[in-house]
Amino acid sequence: MPAHPSGSPAAGPHLTYYEDFSPGHGALPPRAWVPASDAARLSLNGLWWFRLSPTATAEDTAFTRPDFDASRWDILAVPGHWVLGGHGAPAYTNVRYPFPVDPPRVPTENPTGDHRHTFALPEDWPAGGETVLRFDGVESCARIWLNGREVGVFKGSRLPAEYPVGHLLRRRGNVLAVRVHQWSSASYLEDQDMWWLPGVFRDVTLLHRPAGCVADFFVHAGWDHSTGEGTLRVDAPSGGRVTVPELGVDVAVGETVTVPAEPWSAEVPRLYEAVLTGAGERVPFRVGFRTVAVEDGVLKVNGRRILFRGVNRHEFHPEHGRALDLGTMREDLLLMKRHNVNAVRTSHYPPHPAFLDLCDELGLWVVDECDLETHGFAEDGWAGNPVDDDRWTPALLDRAARMVERDKNHPSVLVWSLGNECGTGRALTAMARWIRERDPDRPLHYEGDRTCADTDLYSRMYAPHAEVERIGRREEEPLDDPALDARRRAMPFLLCEYAHAMGNGPGGLAEYQRLFETHERLQGGFVWEWIDHGIARRTPDGRRWFAYGGDFGEELHDGNFVCDGLLFPDRTPSPGLVEYKKVVEPVRIEGDPVAGTVRVTNRHDVADLSHLRFTWSYEVDGVAAARGDLDVPPLAAGGTTELKLPLPAAADGAGEAFWQVRAVLARDTPWAPAGHEVAWGQWPAADRPGSLRTAPDPERPHRPRHAEGGVVLLGPGTFDAATGELRLLDGFALAGPRLDVWRAPTDNDLGAPWQSDPRHGLLWREAGLHRMRHRVDGVVAGDDALTVTTRVAPAAGSLGLRTVYRWTADGDRLHLAVAVTPEGRWTLPLPRLGVRLGLCGTLTRAEWFGGGPGEAYPDTRAASRVGLHTASVDALQTPYVRPQENGARADVRRVRLRREDGTGVAIEGGPPFWFTARRWTSEELDAAAHTCDLVPGDTLWVNLDHALHGIGSQSCGPGVLPRHRLEAAPASFGFTFTTLGESR
Ligand code: GAL
């Protein structure tokens, strides 16, 4: 047996440091994060020597000696994860531990990364005082040596630890050696749904702590909405003075001062520059005055109810994993602010500390969550759950303390969260007790205990709309214990996770928002989740794609469940984020076409409307015929006003008209320039409703006639006389339109294995909707129409769709009327109902008048605006990390598909239709596992749908709401086809 690193046997009562219950050792008490002070600091980030061993004990600790020769080792960037730096591979599981559950023991196969870094102190590094070595994050356990002497053991991956090292430091030639184990006892506490990514993934810093330094400080800054005054007290064991020059404040540490001040909020993040001067250190910090409280069953900030328009944010970068640079953190926040997101839950661990500075500065409400999840124990009914086992309690309390102490001075942090999905247990209660005592000014959150015994907020994840509505009325199912029930019923409610943004979706956001805006108790939620954790890879020919679980050969994995964000891995907003932006917009703009008025409602929590400029436009067929500014008074938060719109230009001629009113930023802000759109409303004008122009001119009916070659000619169309299928349209070859009900199931169609409701994506396939057969029952060339009667049905069942295609023409326009009658007992909805046709692949550009610019489905269509849109066919595709149905455009009146030379095909619909075009079939889309599997063919496949089934959120949450289901029912719809010459 190899020598054991700690000298104790690998088995038996003496557990090694990486397998014991301890939270690590050697670290100083945790303290507040200080981005900068006048004390010296030295970043040790950079390129380090690195060696990977397959087990924790394979190599001895000779590498920790200063004279060890590591020059044959590899080089690794710190911060970083070695599995993303060419050593080993990432692995993804959601709930299940990827090792036998035998706490606190871990497998012998325990990838272990030895790191070495040599550094000198800067010339001006001060003498005297202490120096600490700080690690901001290491996964999952590290043993640390400086100049050959052991400094301590780090656990608690996403939390900082500081070790006193002054006595070990030299001017130059310092050798820092760090041994990192992928698996440790701490891994049992870190079973968050994400990639397992070992390494020193956050900053490593050397900090001088001068004599008389500010050891720690706690800023208490409340705001009284009845007086408009802020109250400030800064506690610091080491004493000192606090100044806030802008407020004329100059007080001793521990002294309370009350002054007129502006409050801090996510909408108006007013910060005051302050300085804490201790005997030996000057620490600048920022004060945001705000008071958070639960009052009358409502969560309030500065006396006002707030509504979380939130997201759950994991730290993720497609190349760097959880090693995020400042630019990426800022980019996340800018994207959030620009999409009307006002809150972040730091699922499921405290983020890099600099992220919270940015939240203070840019304005976000934050639920700061502890680095804790033991979900894998649920697999065995929570047997052995660490949060209910006293041996683990010190480690859990250590985590609570390290979060609270590090983050306590951020005004953005409103709520502490104990962790995620840990079941229930005594240690959670102990954590809650400790946090309340240390910081009584912030409410506590934890979702995993339905009794809410330790929390101040009632929180749930993925509750369906109907249940959320009952909770909103405080009419939820009672708890067994009447006292706990009464306590919980008096609590504010939030959805700490909802609207699972996996693949296409989430659907049903607008309906949730309506509930949040109706019931005071419902204080919003946090969409799951912010970003897809897809890891960037390249095909041999250089095309980029994103990997998910299983792509690295993991024997246990949860596939693409790791890609469930509102951003694609490269941070491109997905249609889900665009939808969310619209649904949560802080100004509601609604028109009354008959009265010619617009109602503007200020749905901000705090801000009035003076930061916005309003414009109106009157658009005919998607082109602004008139526009101007709209004078909206600076309504206070919660206010509503009704304004008269100007009289539109005289109705001259045809065209469908819409009113649009937009609210844009009046001035530059730190997160978006002036002119950035915040909210909008669009509604049809009463004086010019849409008129359907698709019916052929009854005055000029054409008569179908049989011609040579087994064809029927009708207007610009040439049909196969035997099948009735359209083959040519004025010279354009076609795979004729025929009924199509299939879509490549979305992640939400497929649902999650644990869902008890029907999972339609599976039922569709079982029913054979992906392999429908088309039986031709009749092709009749009548006096004024070609009528093709068919039955479309899958093998092995009696379900069918009787489908009649009636073709008419009036010269150069060819019209198709489709009538569908279901046969048999349809108990499942249809994925889609429409026709699919194949056109020449040289048609690469689409122009349409209808909903856009982005994708929309029945329950994800809030952001779709009727207008004149253009896009290349390639740009119509939404690159979901796992390919699936995507790209439909809603409410399309007409679409033109053109070649480069301008020639093409035009299609009009009556009634408006859903338009989808792609260079592969739905079947190819369905078969693809990654975007790089999709290879364009020679045909442009176009779906013209009368109706689509909704999207829902069943990949983790509720399915499609009844009103968005596409039931099989008799339907008729039609399209008119023409060709476009170069000049048209
Ligand atoms: C929740 C969990 C998240 C994530 C999500 C599904 O149960 O808290 O971490 O796994 O489900 O994506």
Side-chain angles (χ1 to χ4, degrees):
M1 218 169 94
H4 206 265
S6 64
S8 53
H14 300 294
L15 295 162
T16 63
Y17 65 93
Y18 59 87
E19 289 186 309
D20 67 18
F21 294 99
S22 84
H25 59 79
L28 293 166
R31 64 181 180 118
W33 154 256
V34 175
S37 85
D38 63 352
R41 60 175 64 196
L42 175 67
S43 168
L44 301 182
N45 295 347
L47 297 178
W48 291 21
W49 295 108
F50 178 77
R51 164 184 76 181
L52 183 64
S53 306
T55 65
T57 55
E59 302 281 348
D60 64 20
T61 53
F63 81 101
T64 66
R65 291 203 307 263
D67 59 354
F68 180 86
D69 178 10
S71 61
R72 302 239 291 277
W73 287 18
D74 286 318
I75 283 178
L76 188 75
V78 170
H81 305 279
W82 68 71
V83 289
L84 299 179
H87 305 270
Y92 165 59
T93 58
N94 170 12
V95 175
R96 296 169 298 176
Y97 290 100
F99 48 77
V101 179
D102 180 25
R105 303 294 313 280
V106 293
T108 298
E109 292 112 341
N110 186 358
T112 291
D114 290 336
H115 302 66
R116 257 177 81 98
H117 184 58
T118 306
F119 63 93
L121 293 178
E123 287 305 318
D124 57 352
W125 193 264
E130 175 59 287
T131 294
V132 302
L133 174 62
R134 177 182 175 101
F135 287 83
D136 279 306
V138 183
E139 180 170 328
S140 77
C141 171
R143 193 174 172 197
I144 303 153
W145 295 261
L146 185 64
N147 295 332
R149 297 268 300 279
E150 183 165 349
V151 163
V153 166
F154 179 105
K155 287 182 204 171
S157 299
R158 272 71 59 172
L159 291 162
E162 288 180 335
Y163 305 87
V165 294
H167 59 295
L168 303 175
L169 272 180
R170 308 168 183 159
R171 277 278 148 198
R172 56 191 63 83
N174 291 292
V175 177
L176 175 61
V178 186
R179 167 163 284 185
V180 181
H181 306 291
Q182 168 148 22
W183 308 121
S184 70
S185 48
S187 305
Y188 286 98
L189 307 180
E190 297 173 6
D191 188 30
Q192 294 96 338
D193 173 10
M194 59 192 192
W195 295 100
W196 298 93
L197 296 176
V200 183
F201 72 98
R202 284 189 190 157
D203 308 291
V204 184
T205 319
L206 207 58
L207 298 143
H208 184 242
R209 310 303 300 130
C213 66
V214 174
D216 188 19
F217 67 114
F218 195 164
V219 179
H220 305 272
W223 193 76
D224 184 340
H225 63 279
S226 61
T227 62
E229 288 174 325
T231 295
L232 176 67
R233 190 187 80 239
V234 178
D235 293 333
S238 44
R241 283 202 80 76
V242 175
T243 52
V244 188
E246 198 183 338
L247 295 173
V249 168
D250 183 348
V251 290
V253 155
E255 199 180 313
T256 301
V257 57
T258 298
V259 283
E262 293 168 43
W264 185 95
S265 69
E267 288 166 5
V268 188
R270 180 68 161 98
L271 292 171
Y272 292 91
E273 299 293 333
V275 178
L276 168 53
T277 309
E281 189 182 17
R282 216 175 151 268
V283 176
F285 65 103
R286 298 180 299 190
V287 184
F289 292 97
R290 54 122 193 85
T291 293
V292 48
V294 174
E295 278 169 17
D296 308 324
V298 175
L299 178 69
K300 295 182 182 171
V301 179
N302 300 331
R304 297 188 67 92
R305 170 184 185 257
I306 61 162
L307 188 58
F308 292 121
R309 303 163 161 98
V311 292
N312 278 282
R313 176 180 179 269
H314 267 284
E315 294 180 308
F316 187 74
H317 185 282
E319 267 114 29
H320 309 303
R322 288 187 284 277
L324 255 57
D325 59 294
L326 209 57
T328 305
M329 296 179 216
R330 181 176 278 277
E331 191 182 344
D332 273 351
L333 284 173
L334 295 183
L335 281 164
M336 287 178 195
K337 294 288 287 185
R338 290 174 187 164
H339 288 88
N340 294 332
V341 169
N342 73 355
V344 187
R345 171 175 176 237
T346 70
S347 53
H348 301 298
Y349 43 83
H352 188 289
F355 180 78
L356 297 176
D357 284 337
L358 290 170
C359 290
D360 294 343
E361 187 181 308
L362 295 166
L364 266 298
W365 311 119
V366 176
V367 174
D368 195 359
E369 189 152 279
C370 199
D371 191 1
L372 181 60
E373 176 162 340
T374 62
H375 204 175
F377 286 88
E379 301 283 293
D380 192 18
W382 295 105
N385 186 7
V387 309
D388 205 24
D389 177 337
D390 293 339
R391 290 172 302 172
W392 292 91
T393 304
L396 298 180
L397 286 172
D398 170 77
R399 285 171 188 246
R402 280 156 73 192
M403 168 180 73
V404 171
E405 298 300 358
R406 191 194 76 165
D407 296 343
K408 58 187 180 274
N409 291 336
H410 292 283
S412 58
V413 174
L414 287 195
V415 173
W416 300 118
S417 176
L418 301 179
N420 186 56
E421 294 181 323
C422 295
T424 56
R426 294 188 298 279
L428 290 171
T429 306
M431 289 169 78
R433 215 173 274 145
W434 186 91
I435 296 175
R436 284 188 198 290
E437 185 152 342
R438 178 65 176 138
D439 181 14
D441 293 335
R442 287 182 176 97
L444 277 188
H445 169 271
Y446 175 61
E447 187 272 347
D449 179 1
R450 291 282 168 93
T451 71
C452 296
D454 295 316
T455 68
D456 302 302
L457 308 169
Y458 180 22
S459 172
R460 290 283 304 281
M461 44 174 83
Y462 309 108
H465 298 78
E467 188 184 357
V468 171
E469 179 158 23
R470 282 198 299 281
I471 296 171
R473 298 183 196 282
R474 300 193 197 262
E475 287 171 3
E476 67 269 23
E477 286 285 297
L479 292 168
D480 291 341
D481 179 325
L484 282 174
D485 183 64
R487 192 172 162 274
R488 191 183 72 176
R489 206 171 291 278
M491 286 179 179
F493 179 81
L494 60 91
L495 281 165
C496 69
E497 294 179 26
Y498 78 119
H500 199 246
M502 184 178 180
N504 187 335
L509 282 171
E511 287 85 356
Y512 275 116
Q513 197 63 21
R514 219 163 292 141
L515 294 173
F516 302 159
E517 290 174 0
T518 307
H519 302 280
E520 187 185 50
R521 185 191 195 187
L522 306 179
Q523 297 200 255
F526 297 78
V527 166
W528 187 268
E529 66 175 307
W530 176 238
I531 185 167
D532 287 341
H533 312 203
I535 294 180
R537 323 274 333 249
R538 292 218 176 249
T539 57
D541 61 353
R543 286 173 300 137
R544 190 152 97 139
W545 59 284
F546 295 104
Y548 48 76
D551 288 332
F552 297 95
E554 303 103 293
E555 62 181 13
L556 202 69
H557 67 83
D558 289 293
N560 68 317
F561 204 65
V562 77
C563 292
D564 49 4
L566 294 171
L567 295 182
F568 292 110
D570 63 1
R571 289 192 155 67
T572 307
S574 80
L577 184 57
V578 178
E579 175 80 358
Y580 196 42
K581 174 182 178 178
K582 171 65 182 154
V583 166
V584 300
E585 60 189 4
V587 182
R588 186 64 32 89
I589 300 169
E590 298 150 313
D592 180 337
V594 177
T597 54
V598 56
R599 174 190 308 191
V600 176
T601 307
N602 181 359
R603 291 197 170 276
H604 284 92
D605 294 329
V606 177
D608 68 22
L609 295 186
S610 56
H611 63 295
L612 298 174
R613 190 165 67 77
F614 289 77
T615 62
W616 62 268
S617 59
Y618 178 83
E619 295 154 4
V620 180
D621 278 353
V623 178
R627 53 160 53 114
D629 286 340
L630 191 68
D631 215 2
V632 178
L635 289 179
T640 298
T641 184
E642 189 119 359
L643 301 165
K644 193 88 190 148
L645 285 164
L647 282 179
D652 54 347
E656 186 179 359
F658 282 86
W659 283 101
Q660 198 178 159
V661 171
R662 303 168 64 231
V664 303
L665 288 178
R667 287 171 292 280
D668 289 351
T669 66
W671 47 270
H676 163 83
E677 184 176 83
V678 171
W680 57 273
Q682 189 192 41
W683 56 96
D687 56 331
R688 282 200 194 176
S691 60
L692 300 178
R693 298 188 297 163
T694 56
D697 184 348
E699 300 300 309
R700 301 193 295 146
H702 274 227
R703 193 192 171 103
R705 61 189 169 83
H706 284 272
E708 256 177 48
V711 298
V712 175
L713 303 177
L714 174 63
T718 305
F719 296 81
D720 184 315
T723 64
E725 273 189 44
L726 179 62
R727 290 282 175 245
L728 282 174
L729 176 72
D730 212 4
F732 275 92
L734 292 159
R738 59 181 201 171
L739 195 78
D740 189 16
V741 295
W742 181 241
R743 75 182 184 198
T746 65
D747 293 317
N748 285 315
D749 289 338
L750 295 172
W754 61 83
Q755 300 282 8
S756 52
D757 288 346
R759 296 161 64 192
H760 292 126
L762 305 185
L763 297 180
W764 292 335
R765 212 185 289 276
E766 262 169 44
L769 300 191
H770 59 308
R771 46 173 169 76
M772 299 291 264
R773 293 284 174 262
H774 298 246
R775 186 183 74 206
V776 180
D777 289 339
V779 180
V780 177
D783 277 353
D784 58 355
L786 173 69
T787 305
V788 183
T789 311
T790 67
R791 186 173 189 275
V792 183
S798 58
L799 295 180
L801 297 163
R802 183 152 299 281
T803 307
V804 179
Y805 307 86
R806 186 169 187 277
W807 290 96
T808 51
D810 65 358
D812 54 4
R813 286 152 43 94
L814 188 63
H815 181 70
L816 167 64
V818 185
V820 182
T821 315
E823 293 179 347
R825 227 168 58 80
W826 283 87
T827 52
L828 71 171
L830 293 170
R832 66 178 351 122
L833 182 67
V835 295
R836 179 180 353 174
L837 65 154
L839 290 165
C840 173
T842 55
L843 297 164
T844 53
R845 290 209 59 77
E847 305 162 9
W848 72 101
F849 178 50
E855 160 185 308
Y857 286 80
D859 53 351
T860 63
R861 60 186 296 170
S864 174
R865 262 184 264 210
V866 174
L868 214 45
H869 304 283
T870 60
S872 69
V873 167
D874 289 342
L876 291 174
Q877 315 308 311
T878 307
Y880 292 113
V881 171
R882 185 192 71 82
Q884 53 198 276
E885 166 65 25
N886 73 84
R889 300 308 194 266
D891 302 315
V892 176
R893 278 83 170 149
R894 54 183 176 272
V895 57
R896 293 171 173 178
L897 294 161
R898 291 189 193 268
R899 296 177 171 138
E900 284 301 309
D901 67 4
T903 57
V905 172
I907 305 162
E908 271 185 58
F913 59 99
W914 302 84
F915 159 69
T916 310
R918 46 175 79 106
R919 294 160 74 196
W920 35 75
T921 60
S922 299
E923 291 72 18
E924 286 162 338
L925 190 60
D926 190 8
H930 297 99
T931 48
C932 56
D933 299 337
L934 290 167
V935 182
D938 294 336
T939 305
L940 176 68
W941 292 102
V942 175
N943 275 95
L944 309 172
D945 289 308
H946 176 57
L948 293 173
H949 185 62
I951 296 294
S953 194
Q954 214 189 3
S955 55
C956 194
V960 174
L961 286 168
R963 81 191 72 142
H964 299 305
R965 281 169 62 108
L966 172 51
E967 305 294 358
S972 25
F973 46 93
F975 306 99
T976 299
F977 301 87
T978 45
T979 54
L980 301 163
E982 275 168 68
S983 55
R984 294 199 261 170

